[in-house]
Amino acid sequence: MSAHEELLDNVAAYALGALPPSDAAGVERHLRTCAECRREYESLRPAVTAVAYSAEACETAESGAAVASPLLKSRIMRKVRAEAAPRRLAPPAWPAYLAAAACLALATVTGLQNLSLNDRLNRERAQTTQQVKELADLAAPDSKRMPFHHGEVVMHGPRLYIAMHDMPMPPRGKVYQAWTLAKGAKRVAPSMTFMPKASGTTLVALPEAATTLAAVAISVEPEGGSLQPTSKPIALVAL
Amino acid sequence: MNDASRLMERVRARDAAAFETLYDEYHRLVYGLALRVLADPGAAEDVTQAVFLKIWDNPALFRGGNFGGWIARVTRNRALDVVRSRAVRVQEDVPESLPVDESLEETVIANLDGARVRDALERLPREQREAIELGFFGGATQEDIARETGIPLGTVKTRIRMGLRKLRNVLEGVVTV
């Protein structure tokens, strides 16, 4: 069997997610250049999605597939509705973003004052308020800054940010994930996943209270994030 | 751009109502899939919550294509992470990053529902269905399946490939059930 035939033979298992990582990487590389294998992959992938749909929960009792508790939606939506903060901002330059922070906040507020009152205004104001708060945190003289390659962790009171500049995009199918180590803890806990902007500065506001933490780390993880790190951290910052 | 992609545009603008519509549309898929992988309603709810909040926290993770297929792959990977939390990871993801011909995918996935797919799966030869389900829901590699069932690896590969092809044809209407 030729190398190509062997790879073609593995495309179905690759689409299903049933290859060991080393074989999967080989098939993925091959798919980028081989039209025949790519056609095979494209024809099979919808079937894999269909397999996932076969597990879809139904409301009807006879389906045998239970539905999630309605409380689950309440929990999720409570958190979503309370979320006022955009996770990432784009200050105009790095490392001058601190100097520009107050100007940017002022410009945003001034712009809003010129808008007519409409349904969007309250939401935008809430977002702007959060942005102003975040920028104030970043610009505060008593904020604590801990640099790492490509950026710094900024801590102001209980609030914690990762500010990055020219962070490279992770490989396809991967994201960056933050990890936090609570004081006295022996293991890190998963925090947010995020993608850097293609250029400029990316700001991530971590939800954890900085005062309870001993360290923050960042690693590259599969999309969707991981419960435990699956790769060596690219940054580890003691607070 | 399909409905889900339009909703995701609004989620990127922090629109909670759009997010709620997405939840209503896709939570049965996410929870059902997590429950199938984990066989634990509590853990399945945890995964469902984690998947949806990840989407809210970082909507840029979705880079276009079929949203149902994407969220299913994210859910499957997250649920298998729970299963393997102290074990060696197998293939890290059902591949979700390679751009594919979306029109093909939409053709098959349009109007897809769990009952129709369950029916189509039921009509596959049992050995093909079992190989596919062990690989997808069980997170087993094709080598694992061969070892566990005592079947030659080449046969397992054929069963997965033939089963997926047949399933696709049935759902596309090429073959009627």
Side-chain angles (χ1 to χ4, degrees):
Chain A
M1 187 182 282
S2 72
H4 171 258
E5 285 170 335
E6 198 167 321
L7 287 161
L8 180 60
D9 210 32
N10 280 337
V11 167
Y14 172 77
L16 192 65
L19 282 183
S22 55
D23 292 351
V27 172
E28 186 164 333
R29 276 195 303 275
H30 182 67
L31 284 176
R32 295 186 191 282
T33 57
C34 176
E36 182 186 0
C37 287
R38 194 174 179 80
R39 275 195 300 277
E40 171 84 350
Y41 171 68
E42 288 183 345
S43 76
L44 296 179
R45 191 166 113 148
V48 175
T49 298
V51 173
Y53 268 87
S54 75
E56 187 179 33
C58 291
E59 308 291 350
T60 51
E62 67 267 24
S63 74
V67 294
S69 157
L71 293 176
L72 177 63
K73 180 178 176 180
S74 300
R75 280 203 303 272
I76 292 172
M77 289 310 301
R78 193 160 50 240
K79 199 162 180 176
V80 165
R81 291 192 183 105
E83 177 83 47
R87 296 290 187 191
R88 288 171 290 174
L89 304 175
W94 178 279
Y97 77 93
L98 293 176
C103 298
L104 177 63
L106 185 61
T108 312
V109 171
T110 305
L112 279 175
Q113 285 169 347
N114 292 333
L115 288 175
S116 61
L117 287 175
N118 57 37
D119 289 340
R120 293 171 52 197
L121 187 56
N122 286 338
R123 187 175 71 234
E124 288 174 357
R125 272 197 174 131
Q127 290 181 349
T128 304
T129 303
Q130 183 64 23
Q131 286 179 6
V132 169
K133 193 165 101 181
E134 291 180 350
L135 290 169
D137 282 336
L138 293 172
D142 59 337
S143 64
K144 192 175 165 190
R145 302 170 192 290
M146 294 137 282
F148 65 90
H149 195 50
H150 288 301
E152 62 182 14
V153 172
V154 182
M155 180 178 165
H156 187 233
R159 292 182 292 279
L160 191 60
Y161 305 89
I162 302 174
M164 292 152 282
H165 178 59
D166 290 340
M167 189 90 153
M169 292 298 283
R172 282 184 175 275
K174 306 282 187 182
V175 295
Y176 288 111
Q177 182 166 1
W179 303 89
T180 55
L181 181 68
K183 288 175 180 169
K186 291 192 165 53
R187 304 180 69 136
V188 293
S191 185
M192 295 176 55
T193 60
F194 54 90
M195 296 289 283
K197 288 183 181 296
S199 62
T201 300
T202 303
L203 180 65
V204 177
L206 295 183
E208 291 84 0
T211 46
T212 65
L213 300 178
V216 171
I218 302 170
S219 67
V220 176
E221 299 295 335
E223 282 185 353
S226 302
L227 292 178
Q228 293 176 19
T230 61
S231 64
K232 283 181 67 173
I234 59 165
L236 178 58
V237 177
L239 304 181
Chain B
M1 189 184 285
N2 58 33
D3 288 348
S5 294
R6 271 191 285 272
L7 287 169
M8 282 301 289
E9 292 273 306
R10 290 169 54 195
V11 169
R12 286 189 188 95
R14 320 308 289 151
D15 183 335
F19 179 86
E20 186 169 10
T21 306
L22 269 181
Y23 180 88
D24 289 342
E25 185 70 23
Y26 290 97
H27 78 277
R28 283 180 294 276
L29 172 62
V30 172
Y31 176 75
L33 178 50
L35 182 62
R36 181 69 184 271
V37 172
L38 293 162
D40 176 342
E45 287 203 355
D46 288 346
V47 166
T48 303
Q49 179 165 328
V51 167
F52 277 102
L53 289 180
K54 286 286 177 196
I55 291 170
W56 173 252
D57 285 339
N58 202 343
L61 291 172
F62 175 62
R63 299 177 195 173
N66 180 273
F67 184 79
W70 177 77
I71 198 173
R73 290 185 281 276
V74 171
T75 303
R76 186 253 193 187
N77 295 336
R78 182 87 188 201
L80 285 177
D81 268 342
V82 175
V83 173
R84 298 170 184 149
S85 55
R86 285 189 172 75
V88 176
R89 293 175 68 88
V90 190
Q91 183 176 334
E92 290 190 342
D93 293 297
V94 174
E96 54 197 63
S97 55
L98 281 173
V100 296
D101 182 336
E102 288 175 25
S103 62
L104 277 175
E105 192 159 24
E106 293 295 342
T107 302
V108 177
I109 295 173
N111 303 316
L112 210 57
D113 66 70
R116 181 162 176 239
V117 181
R118 276 193 289 277
D119 188 41
L121 264 175
E122 282 298 317
R123 287 164 191 266
L124 290 183
R126 185 176 52 83
E127 63 274 13
Q128 291 178 7
R129 186 178 69 245
E130 284 177 356
I132 288 170
E133 290 183 340
L134 272 173
F136 190 78
F137 298 119
T141 64
Q142 54 186 3
E143 286 81 359
D144 293 334
I145 298 168
R147 202 166 35 249
E148 286 170 21
T149 57
I151 292 163
L153 178 59
T155 307
V156 172
K157 291 182 182 187
T158 303
R159 287 178 179 178
I160 291 174
R161 186 168 63 246
M162 297 306 292
L164 289 179
R165 281 183 180 170
K166 206 172 292 181
L167 183 60
R168 182 184 189 282
N169 288 341
V170 168
L171 292 167
E172 208 178 8
V174 175
V175 178
T176 55
V177 292

